Amino acid sequence: MSRRGRTAINLVAILAGLAVLWEAYRAFALATGNMWPGTDVALPVAVRGSGNAQQFPHVWEPVLALGRPYRGGGETLGAFLLGQVGYTLREVLAGFVLGSLLGFLLGTLFAHSRLAERSLMPYVIASQTVPFIAFAPILVVGFNSLESFPRWSGVAALSMYLVFFPMTVNTLRGLRSAPATAEELMRSYAASWWTRLWKLRVPAAVPYLFVGMKIGATAAVVGAIVGELSAPSSQGLGAAIFSFGRVSNNSVQLFATTLVAGLVGIASFSTVALLERAVLRAYAGAGPAR
Amino acid sequence: MTSPEEAAVTVEAGPPVVAAAEPTVAVRHVTRTFGEVTALSDVSLDVAPGSFVSLIGPSGCGKSTLLRVIADLLEPSSGEVVVAGKTPHRARTDRDYGMVFQKATLFDWRTVRRNVELPLELMGWDRTRRRARADEMLALVELTDFAKHRPAQLSGGMQQRVAIARALAFSPKLLLMDEPFGALDEITRERLNLELLDIWTKTRTTVVFVTHSIPEAVFLSTDVVVMSPRPGRVLRRIPVDLPRPRDTGTRELDRYFELVTEVRETLRGAGLL
């Protein structure tokens, strides 16, 4: 069987296994009344409620909910969420592109100047040690108070904030990855710094740039959703999570939304991974296995 | 622009023979230290135009350091180096030499042809000229059929031939080679020795060749310079008077064995063997 076929079967097997575990726990908790049998110790998660307010629904219920109207009547939940995905993706795309560019520029600056690296890198690292969930509302609200920017740009800024760091680190590493003799070769040609950058270092860094962008692609989605959650936002997946989780307390729709958010993250990562495969194949006559 | 040779002739009005004999590389009392370690100690060396000079010695004798000082990739701590009548820095910016390393150092992301074109690209040659020149060089190293391949698809010996083609693409006066065949198997190495001699005869380039193989040094060179380590210095310079053109039969001549023995004796005399 082809490798791709085996991968697909493995994936289905893992998902099926998880679904079975979920259902087994649910059945067990219902049978024991949410208690460890023979004790008065509660199970970690209780199965409670009914309909849309269930705490631990059947695996298939959120999936089925996607095909049903999400309130009263009209639009299905799936169609509604698709609209929110479109809104969120705009922030993701802006955050990803700008964050990748900023990371590339910073990485290049640091590769050019040890002084810049030594003086600025600590701040770059510090920016990532601040818990970004605490920091998110400040950034989003602050950004949104600037009237010349559209509403979604504050969220995009948070997304960018998560993207630029892995990109900076990987760009710096990649630009320094060329072997010493390759650097000597370029010096033997009396090549300028720019020439060395464009003809040697950047091409040598391409596999590393893709590592940075793959991490960035998932971080951009997390950043956008957390940004939407943490600030008064009426649109996007984060806003939907907020309204189903906190406002209507509809756990089935909340699970469905989480599922969609996960798929957006996977799609975002996969898009960059596919691009990587195409570029590296055209580039080195080899796949991304390096 | 007048070359230094011509200038010397007009000013001194001496016999042109003197000007023609000006060495392509002149190393005068060069010392180079790395911190506490003396890599080169008072080394002097002349490389005549058109000659093939091998630097041989055990690891740590400074032969690669000497090559890098000539190439202006390292600066001497003291002493003077003249390359093609100029400072090494000027010679480097004038692209007077080509360099080949132990690792072929080809760029994975370029085809074989575009690797050979690299120095020409940096020198601003236009595409058509570049391409024609690269194809010419690939014919010289007999890799015409591999122009569109990626370096990773080539064997180690073929990669090294591409590196030689690249180093010679802009017809430098001088070719600096740092153990170019050191990582290859013995059979490939002997074949590339023959090819290199052929290329040297065709291009008339001056070669400085670093190696740790005694047979290789004797087979290829017009002169073998034997060096010793800690601190690196020149023990002896042995002219190689083997007939040319050299071929596989050369390695079976009595004189060849005598010269190999002479190099070996020099190393043994210094306690290095």
Side-chain angles (χ1 to χ4, degrees):
Chain A
M1 192 190 292
S2 74
R3 232 180 76 195
R4 192 165 294 194
R6 271 202 304 271
T7 312
I9 284 182
N10 281 343
L11 181 67
V12 170
I14 289 170
L15 287 178
L18 288 174
V20 167
L21 277 177
W22 176 282
E23 287 298 322
Y25 178 86
R26 190 174 189 278
F28 178 74
L30 281 176
T32 65
N34 293 322
M35 290 292 170
W36 289 105
T39 67
D40 55 358
V41 181
L43 288 172
V45 183
V47 177
R48 266 201 295 268
S50 61
N52 281 338
Q54 294 175 73
Q55 182 150 327
F56 208 104
H58 283 295
V59 170
W60 52 84
E61 281 176 288
V63 182
L64 294 179
L66 287 172
R68 288 196 295 260
Y70 81 104
R71 60 180 167 206
E75 204 182 20
T76 62
L77 180 63
F80 166 71
L81 287 179
L82 208 60
Q84 307 312 304
V85 167
Y87 186 83
T88 301
L89 273 183
R90 180 165 51 181
E91 298 155 348
V92 169
L93 191 69
F96 174 76
V97 170
L98 292 175
S100 297
L101 269 177
L102 176 65
F104 180 79
L105 290 177
L106 275 176
T108 308
L109 174 70
F110 294 167
H112 176 59
S113 154
R114 292 261 172 198
L115 181 68
E117 188 197 352
R118 272 204 304 268
S119 50
L120 292 178
M121 197 59 159
Y123 295 101
V124 170
I125 293 167
S127 76
Q128 303 297 305
T129 60
V130 177
F132 86 100
I133 293 189
F135 178 65
I138 305 170
L139 186 67
V140 175
V141 173
F143 218 93
N144 284 352
S145 68
L146 303 171
E147 282 180 8
S148 49
F149 287 94
R151 292 287 296 165
W152 52 272
S153 60
V155 175
L158 182 68
S159 180
M160 167 175 149
Y161 174 82
L162 289 190
V163 172
F164 93 95
F165 182 69
M167 197 60 189
T168 304
V169 173
N170 280 287
T171 302
L172 181 58
R173 232 189 108 107
L175 291 177
R176 291 197 176 139
S177 71
T181 45
E183 296 281 358
E184 280 191 320
L185 181 77
M186 293 305 270
R187 276 185 56 209
S188 83
Y189 297 141
S192 68
W193 188 83
W194 274 108
T195 310
R196 292 202 311 260
L197 183 70
W198 289 117
K199 302 276 182 194
L200 171 63
R201 290 181 189 168
V202 169
V206 165
Y208 294 83
L209 300 184
F210 274 110
V211 172
M213 285 193 288
K214 280 195 290 189
I215 302 171
T218 47
V221 176
V222 172
I225 290 174
V226 170
E228 289 168 346
L229 261 171
S230 61
S233 149
S234 52
Q235 277 183 291
L237 283 175
I241 288 172
F242 185 82
S243 96
F244 295 143
R246 294 290 155 79
V247 181
S248 65
N249 194 22
N250 186 325
S251 64
V252 170
Q253 290 180 352
L254 183 59
F255 273 117
T257 311
T258 309
L259 180 70
V260 169
L263 290 176
V264 169
I266 291 172
S268 172
F269 176 87
S270 305
T271 307
V272 179
L274 280 176
L275 185 69
E276 173 190 43
R277 223 163 64 172
V279 168
L280 290 192
R281 189 168 286 171
Y283 192 77
R290 12 173 60 227
Chain B
M1 205 182 89
T2 35
S3 75
E5 288 98 318
E6 284 166 333
V9 173
T10 26
V11 173
E12 293 172 17
V17 181
V18 176
E22 181 182 326
T24 304
V25 178
V27 177
R28 306 259 180 266
H29 306 292
V30 162
T31 295
R32 166 73 206 203
T33 55
F34 295 100
E36 300 284 289
V37 182
T38 304
L40 291 174
S41 172
D42 193 27
V43 169
S44 292
L45 175 75
D46 273 2
V47 177
S51 62
F52 194 122
V53 174
S54 286
L55 309 176
I56 191 168
S59 315
C61 73
K63 50 194 192 302
S64 288
T65 304
L66 179 55
L67 199 74
R68 279 170 173 71
V69 166
I70 295 169
D72 186 43
L73 297 175
L74 286 176
E75 285 191 6
S77 304
S78 66
E80 189 202 9
V81 180
V82 180
V83 177
K86 315 161 188 177
T87 63
H89 180 76
R90 186 68 205 274
R92 178 164 67 89
T93 51
D94 285 355
R95 277 103 176 195
D96 280 329
Y97 71 83
M99 195 147 184
V100 178
F101 302 90
Q102 181 172 356
K103 277 190 66 189
T105 316
L106 303 175
F107 293 180
D108 294 345
W109 51 89
R110 289 173 167 248
T111 60
V112 163
R113 180 192 276 129
R114 293 210 54 233
N115 265 284
V116 177
E117 286 181 25
L118 175 71
L120 309 176
E121 224 172 280
L122 303 192
M123 293 164 81
W125 289 32
D126 69 57
R127 204 188 145 87
T128 331
R129 241 181 106 210
R130 245 168 31 209
R131 211 182 157 120
R133 189 57 205 256
D135 286 342
E136 202 180 302
M137 297 314 296
L138 287 174
L140 182 70
V141 297
E142 294 170 14
L143 284 175
T144 302
D145 294 343
F146 294 90
K148 287 180 181 158
H149 283 59
R150 297 286 179 168
Q153 297 170 292
L154 271 53
S155 69
M158 288 158 94
Q159 291 183 11
Q160 209 50 279
R161 275 148 69 195
V162 177
I164 293 170
R166 179 181 61 190
L168 293 174
F170 51 100
S171 308
K173 296 188 182 78
L174 177 65
L175 181 60
L176 302 175
M177 306 181 88
D178 189 12
E179 296 183 29
F181 309 136
L184 304 178
D185 67 83
E186 198 58 34
I187 298 164
T188 308
R189 187 178 191 142
E190 288 200 8
R191 210 188 52 238
L192 286 187
N193 283 175
L194 281 168
E195 276 190 34
L196 178 59
L197 277 186
D198 190 42
I199 290 167
W200 176 66
T201 313
K202 282 178 185 156
T203 59
R204 293 263 128 238
T205 309
T206 309
V207 181
V208 180
F209 188 92
V210 168
T211 179
H212 45 227
S213 160
I214 299 171
E216 183 174 71
V218 170
F219 179 73
L220 292 172
S221 311
T222 54
D223 299 85
V224 176
V225 174
V226 185
M227 297 180 69
S228 80
R230 286 171 288 275
R233 62 204 151 83
V234 173
L235 280 178
R236 206 178 144 200
R237 180 184 185 126
I238 299 169
V240 179
D241 50 6
L242 292 169
R244 293 195 184 271
R246 294 177 191 170
D247 53 30
T248 41
T250 307
R251 293 184 195 270
E252 285 144 29
L253 297 175
D254 288 343
R255 184 64 190 140
Y256 172 76
F257 288 111
E258 282 169 31
L259 284 160
V260 167
T261 308
E262 207 175 327
V263 174
R264 194 166 277 145
E265 288 298 326
T266 307
L267 289 166
R268 186 182 299 154
L272 298 172
L273 266 181

